[in-house]
Amino acid sequence: MPRPHGFAYTQRPDGTVLITHQGRAAGTLRGPRAEEFLAEVESGDAQLVMARWTGAYKHGNERTARNHPRNRG
């Protein structure tokens, strides 16, 4: 499974965190969730953390599901 890429985040002066994926908004975090996100991003792989928090990551079963007989269409 390829590593996630193309994510970026911006921390605004009011404490809000905006997460983007390839230049498009993928999520906005405020308050305690923003603080928790920032702490996790500092301690781990930032791209993977942002992918998890936005839900924009692959689970690894997409190819299997696409090749299933009922999905071949």
Side-chain angles (χ1 to χ4, degrees):
M1 184 168 91
R3 310 245 346 126
H5 65 281
F7 287 95
Y9 72 94
T10 306
Q11 185 176 5
R12 296 184 174 163
D14 65 353
T16 302
V17 175
L18 176 66
I19 303 172
T20 58
H21 183 247
Q22 297 180 348
R24 295 182 150 185
T28 304
L29 304 171
R30 294 176 180 88
R33 293 203 56 187
E35 293 171 13
E36 184 180 343
F37 168 79
L38 291 170
E40 194 171 332
V41 145
E42 295 296 322
S43 66
D45 178 13
Q47 292 293 307
L48 186 59
V49 170
M50 287 183 274
R52 264 191 318 105
W53 276 76
T54 60
Y57 64 100
K58 296 195 179 275
H59 300 280
N61 61 356
E62 287 82 4
R63 182 174 296 146
T64 305
R66 183 178 55 216
N67 293 332
H68 192 277
R70 81 167 168 251
N71 296 329
R72 288 190 189 156

